[in-house]
Amino acid sequence: MRLEISGLRKSYGRHLAVRDVGLVVEEGEFVVILGPSGCGKTTTLRCLAGLEKPDDGTIRIGTATVFDGGGAVFVPPEQRNIGMIFQSYALWPHMTVFENVAFPFEARRQRGPQVRDRVRDVLALVGLAGLEDRSASLLSGGQMQRVALARALACKPAALLFDEPLSNLDLKLRHHLRQELRELQKTSGASAVFVTHDQSEAAALADRIVVMNEGRIVQSDTPEKLFSRPADRFTADFIGIPNLLPVRAVTAASDGRWKVDVSPHLALEGEAPSGVRPGDGWWVWFRAEHVEMTAAAPRASGCGDFPARIVQRTFTGTDYVYRLQAGHAPEASVEVTARDVRKLEPGDLIAARVLPGQAHLVPDATAR
Ligand SMILES: Nc1ncnc2c1ncn2[C@@H]1O[C@H](COP(=O)(O)OP(=O)(O)OP(=O)(O)O)[C@@H](O)[C@H]1O
Ligand SMILES: [Mg+2]
């Protein structure tokens, strides 16, 4: 079902945890809310589920208004037809796997063969057939999370809400469950909102990523768009762009492009997002793989060319990451990833170059 949040506001005492959040999740869509600790992700999710009462705004699930600050509508969680999955699993340890998954039916006083069949079906769906009678306290983390997922899916919810459900699992299991979870969501047809502060998890799961910072939504885009065009410095930094440098001076170049000075030794050319003007506090970013290094003496410097000193080399398991210092003084630090350039060592003076068309300009913050 379609979910629609608008003008959502929630404070705890004097602290405004969520401010003016608007979000639409289309039927069957998988939306990931990405943001740092404390930015309001869980609060937004809990408001959607009805576990928290917002101060203001409206929330609609399908055609039903479940919260309206103005009209004082508040539909309690058990009537919202939503399945929620938490990081902590929230299972009943004294109950069996079967009883945990049957719990939502029990709460609605639904029993009988149909419920039994549904519980068995949904346990089979998450790969736990045969474990029905095992005590929930005797399960591994991955199994507990599957039980939580089965319980959330049991009543065929209109929407699934996930609050960092994979954070307590080891990396391999996390990657595996990620895929499963995504497939189960697609086959169930439920809309999903998934909260995480892990950018690679967000990229792997989302149809659309919504970035939050300090209680606000700062960008909403497909993963491809978000990672290739972060809208501001905060987002570029949060998604892990290693080269994000403050701009010192801006001059107009051709075709709506701008030439920016990062240091006396490094000038770059790039496009700014529409509507953003010089003076808004610009930053320039480029990916490490878009920096070329040559052992040769620095050439005559054009746009993107700069002399550099290698200050550090780190092996990541697949690549070498070089940290370069642009120019001769510690003015601008630039990171480079390169494969098999082992002949370049810390201390070497080299010629470096940001490949043409690979520098992008962003404002310090998007307009609020
Ligand atoms: N029950 C509460 N009482 C008081 N303050 C709260 C409460 N719940 C959340 N907050 C505050 O509201 C802000 C947003 O919290 P929220 O839990 O939504 O963040 P989050 O984005 O989920 O963070 P994390 O990634 O750490 O889980 C934080 O500053 C938090 O301290
Ligand atoms: Mg949280």
Side-chain angles (χ1 to χ4, degrees):
M1 242 181 245
R2 188 173 190 268
L3 310 176
E4 187 178 341
I5 299 177
S6 70
L8 189 73
R9 190 156 54 82
K10 171 71 188 172
S11 46
Y12 296 106
R14 281 217 214 122
H15 179 70
L16 202 49
V18 169
R19 42 187 103 192
D20 196 29
V21 160
L23 173 65
V24 172
V25 182
E26 296 297 344
E27 182 153 5
E29 194 183 14
F30 200 111
V31 167
V32 174
I33 301 181
L34 176 69
S37 186
C39 73
K41 305 182 295 294
T42 295
T43 307
T44 304
L45 218 56
R46 289 176 60 84
C47 287
L48 250 176
L51 299 171
E52 211 72 71
K53 197 167 181 178
D55 302 335
D56 206 359
T58 56
I59 302 175
R60 295 165 67 84
I61 299 177
T63 53
T65 300
V66 295
F67 176 76
D68 185 346
V73 177
F74 182 81
V75 174
E78 62 277 11
Q79 289 169 26
R80 291 192 185 193
N81 193 21
I82 272 180
M84 188 146 173
I85 297 137
F86 305 89
Q87 181 176 355
S88 60
Y89 317 130
L91 299 182
W92 301 104
H94 59 284
M95 289 187 188
T96 64
V97 167
F98 185 96
E99 287 163 345
N100 265 285
V101 178
F103 188 79
F105 295 106
E106 211 34 60
R108 296 173 190 193
R109 307 200 181 287
Q110 294 171 357
R111 283 176 199 135
Q114 269 171 328
V115 168
R116 264 202 310 278
D117 288 348
R118 176 65 189 157
V119 172
R120 287 188 196 287
D121 284 352
V122 83
L123 278 170
L125 197 64
V126 300
L128 290 181
L131 285 187
E132 287 84 355
D133 299 326
R134 173 90 58 94
S135 162
S137 58
L138 299 177
L139 298 173
S140 72
Q143 288 170 330
M144 285 192 201
Q145 202 47 283
R146 280 171 214 254
V147 175
L149 184 60
R151 184 182 53 190
L153 286 166
C155 293
K156 301 191 173 160
L160 287 166
L161 307 183
F162 299 92
D163 195 355
E164 312 216 26
L166 308 177
S167 307
N168 286 342
L169 306 172
D170 69 59
L171 197 65
K172 206 167 161 200
L173 188 57
R174 211 149 98 192
H175 285 195
H176 180 67
L177 272 184
R178 210 185 256 177
Q179 297 310 327
E180 278 190 11
L181 193 154
R182 175 71 210 210
E183 278 161 31
L184 285 172
Q185 180 266 342
K186 283 293 167 210
T187 39
S188 79
S191 309
V193 185
F194 186 104
V195 156
T196 182
H197 55 251
D198 178 338
Q199 29 124 341
S200 62
E201 187 159 275
L205 283 168
D207 292 319
R208 189 153 52 91
I209 299 177
V210 169
V211 180
M212 279 187 85
N213 185 28
E214 294 178 351
R216 289 190 179 88
I217 290 177
V218 291
Q219 187 167 1
S220 166
D221 268 315
T222 61
E224 291 79 4
K225 182 81 193 295
L226 183 87
F227 282 85
S228 63
R229 292 291 178 275
D232 64 6
R233 181 195 55 80
F234 167 80
T235 306
D237 189 26
F238 194 72
I239 63 173
I241 302 281
N243 300 309
L244 179 62
L245 307 165
V247 166
R248 290 179 168 195
V250 182
T251 40
S254 53
D255 303 333
R257 296 169 67 80
W258 303 86
K259 183 171 167 266
V260 297
D261 292 336
V262 175
S263 84
H265 301 282
L266 178 53
L268 293 163
E269 211 179 273
E271 263 172 54
S274 57
V276 179
R277 311 301 311 162
D280 288 352
W282 282 6
W283 294 68
V284 63
W285 67 267
F286 46 92
R287 296 195 178 279
E289 58 268 32
H290 292 143
V291 183
E292 240 175 34
M293 303 187 293
T294 8
R299 41 187 173 227
S301 109
C303 212
D305 286 319
F306 61 101
R309 178 191 296 275
I310 298 178
V311 289
Q312 197 180 44
R313 183 178 70 172
T314 316
F315 185 53
T316 64
T318 45
D319 291 336
Y320 285 95
V321 176
Y322 285 86
R323 207 154 63 76
L324 309 181
Q325 207 160 65
H328 306 294
E331 284 156 353
S333 176
V334 179
E335 263 187 36
V336 181
T337 37
R339 220 178 279 245
D340 295 330
V341 204
R342 281 171 218 169
K343 54 186 184 295
L344 297 183
E345 300 281 346
D348 288 357
L349 290 170
I350 56 151
R353 182 175 189 229
V354 180
L355 298 177
Q358 302 299 349
H360 309 280
L361 303 170
V362 285
D364 189 52
T366 34
R368 287 174 177 170

